[in-house]
Amino acid sequence: MAGYRDLLRTPGVGRIIAAQLTARFPNGMTSLAILLHIEFVTGSYGAAGLVLAAASIGQAIAGPVTSRWMGRWGMRPVITATLAVCAVSITAIALLQLPLPGYMALGFVAGLSTPPIQSAARTIYPKLVTSKQLTPLFSLDASLQEIIWIVAPVVITLVATQVGTVPALLLIVVILIGGGAWFILSPEVGRVRIPRSRRSIGKVLTKAPVLLATVVGFLLIGACAAVEAGVVATFDHGGLEAGIVLALFSVGSLAGGLSLGHLPMGPWAMARRMAIVTVGLALTIVSLNVFWLGGTLVLAGIGIAPALAVLFAMTSASVKFSDTAEAFGWVGTGQLIGAAAGSAIAGFLIDDMGPTGAYIAATAFAAVGLIVAVVFVKGFPDLRNRDAAPIPDTEPVQTIT
């Protein structure tokens, strides 16, 4: 913890972490709010899963593209434009009465225009700290982002169930605009200039660590999305249990990230973390009792943030600085496609066999992620005796002061 405190004392680090967490806070609310809103409007979790899938596919397409745009037009113009379109789209979902294809179209546009704040923040980090501090910073970032998943589900469930799903979606728009403005106006965002990549789009995926990070991220977040749908279906609209159980999932992740974040990241680090997630999720199938689910999801959560920290560190360490934004965009795309797949599969399984189907899907996603981490262990870099700083570009990088 002393090392984390020293990181937060580094000029700019605390501010950019706080700003990007606030700007990304709607990420922990939007899927749940749309799930509740569309299910309320249509009466089908399968329909809600399709809208979520459309939104996630839009985000997946946009991830590497908008991240790459930041190297061409700058962070602030790209984030500002995408934020405005995203806010309008979510507002339309909340206020308009449409058939399912209409909601899917709006969900797709909202996903397509999701501001690339995560890629921007993780591209800025190497410019704020020394190379030795970068891996702990990725661990801290992966841990603190769990605050989003602890607080946001409870807040949005409370608003959606006690006030209404429309006010819940409008609350997301307010936070999106306020948090996005804070991040855009942060001095660090204007100070760091991402050089334009000279490689064609998608070329970074030829790097084995980036491809593995994308695939494992797809499976890990697919499992999490299935859990989210399963928890909501388990407790329906009857109270705050869904939000509380999802918060416990994130509490486990926060605890795991802070306690394991200092451990060296060798080639087997991902396999060990995915094993924890898989065992915890497998135990959820045993019972739908609120206390049992809360306990097993805490166990599963212990592996989530540490696994994400490995993804971020191995991605950063394997590419040039000019390619970091796009690389993180692809990793984000993998996660978002996983969210789409997890939500859609879980939604249909819930309609077919009840909430247990969602937990079976989650376990399957995590188990495949574990298998990938074991079979392709040689593709994971050994970061035990090196830092996670990007490979320097061979030409000077202009810095705006």
Side-chain angles (χ1 to χ4, degrees):
M1 294 304 295
Y4 292 139
R5 284 195 296 269
D6 290 340
L7 268 177
L8 291 174
R9 291 193 187 105
T10 303
V13 170
R15 176 170 50 235
I16 204 67
I17 287 179
Q20 65 102 358
L21 286 176
T22 304
R24 291 171 53 217
F25 195 78
N27 292 359
M29 309 170 80
T30 305
S31 294
L32 191 53
I34 290 177
L35 184 72
L36 292 169
H37 182 69
I38 301 302
E39 192 278 331
F40 176 76
V41 172
T42 65
S44 170
Y45 281 105
L50 287 174
V51 176
L52 287 179
S56 297
I57 291 170
Q59 287 179 297
I61 294 171
V65 176
T66 55
S67 296
R68 192 178 176 90
W69 283 352
M70 291 191 293
R72 175 175 296 181
W73 293 304
M75 292 187 188
R76 282 175 169 161
V78 172
I79 295 174
T80 300
T82 52
L83 187 150
V85 175
C86 187
V88 171
S89 301
I90 295 175
T91 301
I93 292 175
L95 299 180
L96 299 180
Q97 296 292 323
L98 299 169
L100 179 59
Y103 285 121
M104 290 178 65
L106 285 174
F108 179 75
V109 172
L112 200 62
S113 58
T114 300
I117 290 171
Q118 180 170 285
S119 296
R122 287 167 188 157
T123 301
I124 290 170
Y125 286 158
K127 299 301 181 181
L128 298 181
V129 298
T130 64
S131 57
K132 291 183 179 180
Q133 291 177 304
L134 190 54
T135 296
L137 178 54
F138 282 130
S139 296
L140 179 62
D141 177 81
S143 301
L144 291 181
Q145 75 174 3
E146 292 304 323
I147 294 173
I148 296 172
W149 309 106
I150 293 170
V151 179
V154 177
V155 171
I156 206 63
T157 302
L158 176 63
V159 175
T161 58
Q162 305 302 317
V163 183
T165 57
V166 171
L169 287 168
L170 295 179
L171 174 64
I172 289 171
V173 173
V174 171
I175 298 174
L176 178 67
I177 293 172
W182 184 14
F183 182 80
I184 291 166
L185 296 174
S186 297
E188 293 75 19
V189 176
R191 223 174 266 142
V192 176
R193 171 78 164 81
I194 302 174
R196 183 182 297 191
S197 175
R198 296 182 179 276
R199 297 157 64 91
S200 58
I201 189 168
K203 197 74 173 178
V204 291
L205 289 174
T206 60
K207 300 275 188 180
V210 177
L211 182 59
L212 283 170
T214 302
V215 172
V216 175
F218 161 83
L219 295 163
L220 178 63
I221 301 305
C224 295
V227 166
E228 182 176 276
V231 169
V232 171
T234 299
F235 302 106
D236 202 26
H237 298 182
L240 294 178
E241 291 94 339
I244 292 172
V245 170
L246 288 173
L248 287 172
F249 190 28
S250 295
V251 167
S253 182
L254 176 61
L258 293 178
S259 60
L260 303 178
H262 67 287
L263 296 180
M265 296 178 182
W268 286 98
M270 181 60 74
R272 287 193 292 268
R273 288 154 171 78
M274 289 302 297
I276 296 172
V277 178
T278 303
V279 170
L281 293 182
L283 291 173
T284 62
I285 301 171
V286 175
S287 172
L288 299 183
N289 174 273
V290 62
F291 298 105
W292 178 262
L293 282 177
T296 54
L297 288 179
V298 167
L299 173 61
I302 289 173
I304 299 291
L308 290 172
V310 175
L311 293 182
F312 302 152
M314 66 190 281
T315 300
S316 175
S318 62
V319 298
K320 292 183 177 181
F321 178 67
S322 58
D323 291 322
T324 51
E326 184 189 340
F328 281 120
W330 281 112
V331 172
T333 287
Q335 295 174 11
L336 290 162
I337 295 175
S343 296
I345 292 172
F348 284 113
L349 288 178
I350 290 167
D351 284 343
D352 182 57
M353 58 188 298
T356 300
Y359 302 113
I360 293 173
T363 303
F365 271 95
V368 175
L370 172 59
I371 292 170
V372 170
V374 171
V375 172
F376 298 99
V377 66
K378 292 184 179 180
F380 290 84
D382 190 344
L383 300 179
R384 289 174 293 187
N385 297 310
R386 55 171 291 198
D387 59 68
I391 302 167
D393 286 278
T394 55
E395 60 183 7
V397 177
Q398 181 182 0
T399 302
I400 301 174
T401 57

